[in-house]
Amino acid sequence: MDVEDATVESEIVFRWSDPMSSNWAGFTDKVISNILIRSNESPEKIEAVKQLALNGWAVGEGLANATDIDVGILINADEWSGLHARPGRVESPVSMDGGRTITNVTPDLTLQTVEIEDDLAVDMQDFPNPMIFSEIAIAESAHDAQRPYLHRVRAKSLTQNYQTWELYADDSRGYEGPDRAPTSRDYFTVGTSLCLMSQLTANQMFLQKQGIEIKDFRVEHQFDYQQDGFMTPATTGHLDGVTTRVIVKGDVEKDAVMDFAKQALRMCFAGEGIQQATDMETSVYLNGDMLR
């Protein structure tokens, strides 16, 4: 097959219900993934390529279907080994590795297949209920002959005061030489961990107003991915399970710590998207026209 170019445009819709209350919960309502292809091949062949890609998409399978999560909460555990959070700042939005830019702030995105809404304005003292916002992204080839699976990704949260970030991902398994960026699964795994960390941080502030002081916390994750029939027409991808550990440090009652961790888990958009079946909407556009 002769494919001149391929790009994926995405929008993920998230929702918080009852923020700043004991019923605070987070949801992943929809994942939109549009595949844009330039090619002189027939629509039937392009549709077949789309189906092959979806079949091998382990992360997509984990989102589309309910996936088991093994959750554990550890209180004042011995695994801290002197680690703790400390204030700091990032000197520059640009990160480099081996002469290649890995992250950078880039101009805002224009998507061909998704209508971009205005950025959500958020008052940290008065959250809307429900709070609904989207994240958008464009993924495309980095056009690196030595690493054909090296991709450029640009992403933005449609929330005021958020910038558009440029990232790179390298899934070039089996090619000689060191990888040049994290894998796509690395990003999904660490993104889930950071989502839960964000909810723990928000919940820590919520509890502070009630006089409950959580000193420190961290998240540990293991995701079990599987791909069968790799590089064959029968390829399939799976997310077989997730192990989540929330480790909390603080001189408070055990029940308060457990409630703190459980609510943060309930608030985590990514965890909900994995644990429950998520609405997945995927279309393919050939030379600008959506295939029906």
Side-chain angles (χ1 to χ4, degrees), residues 113-133:
T113 63
V114 177
E115 184 176 349
I116 300 176
E117 301 176 357
D118 293 336
D119 287 355
L120 176 69
V122 178
D123 182 349
M124 297 300 289
Q125 305 304 319
D126 185 20
F127 285 103
N129 185 22
M131 176 179 164
I132 301 172
F133 67 98

Side-chain angles (χ1 to χ4, degrees), residues 72-280:
I73 301 170
L74 306 178
I75 304 172
N76 295 324
D78 295 329
E79 287 88 343
W80 284 92
S81 304
L83 299 175
H84 60 89
R86 64 181 184 272
R89 69 189 188 94
V90 178
E91 297 295 335
S92 167
V94 179
S95 63
M96 304 287 295
D97 183 69
R100 176 180 292 278
T101 301
I102 303 299
T103 68
N104 187 28
V105 170
T106 191
D108 284 346
L109 301 177
T110 300
L111 274 62
Q112 299 180 45
T113 63
V114 177
E115 184 176 349
I116 300 176
E117 301 176 357
D118 293 336
D119 287 355
L120 176 69
V122 178
D123 182 349
M124 297 300 289
Q125 305 304 319
D126 185 20
F127 285 103
N129 185 22
M131 176 179 164
I132 301 172
F133 67 98
S134 294
E135 306 268 345
I136 58 173
I138 298 176
E140 56 195 344
S141 174
H143 302 292
D144 187 314
Q146 294 181 325
R147 310 294 292 181
Y149 288 85
L150 183 69
H151 294 128
R152 177 193 183 208
V153 186
R154 288 171 289 161
K156 184 185 188 300
S157 172
L158 296 183
T159 309
Q160 282 188 354
N161 303 317
Y162 274 77
Q163 301 183 100
T164 301
W165 286 88
E166 178 185 54
L167 310 166
Y168 284 82
D170 188 359
D171 288 313
S172 304
R173 292 177 293 183
Y175 286 81
E176 293 184 1
D179 54 345
R180 298 184 180 175
T183 69
S184 57
R185 292 171 302 282
D186 287 339
Y187 281 118
F188 185 70
T189 303
V190 76
T192 305
S193 300
L194 291 172
C195 178
L196 182 51
M197 277 295 292
S198 295
Q199 313 318 316
L200 287 162
T201 302
N203 207 25
Q204 180 193 36
M205 297 176 182
F206 173 61
L207 291 180
Q208 277 180 341
K209 295 183 177 181
Q210 304 176 37
I212 300 174
E213 188 69 30
I214 302 295
K215 290 183 178 179
D216 214 343
F217 47 85
R218 82 168 186 262
V219 172
E220 297 179 355
H221 266 129
Q222 176 176 311
F223 280 60
D224 298 321
Y225 300 103
Q226 178 176 329
Q227 194 164 31
D228 302 320
F230 182 58
M231 294 294 288
T232 74
T235 185
T236 55
H238 314 268
L239 176 58
D240 294 333
V242 177
T243 301
T244 300
R245 295 291 181 263
V246 179
I247 305 171
V248 183
K249 192 174 184 180
D251 299 324
V252 296
E253 295 291 332
K254 178 180 178 180
D255 288 347
V257 175
M258 295 296 286
D259 289 343
F260 160 74
K262 287 179 179 178
Q263 176 151 308
L265 287 161
R266 191 169 62 247
M267 291 161 55
C268 180
F269 313 104
E272 191 277 339
I274 295 167
Q275 195 165 27
Q276 308 296 332
T278 303
D279 185 11
M280 307 288 286

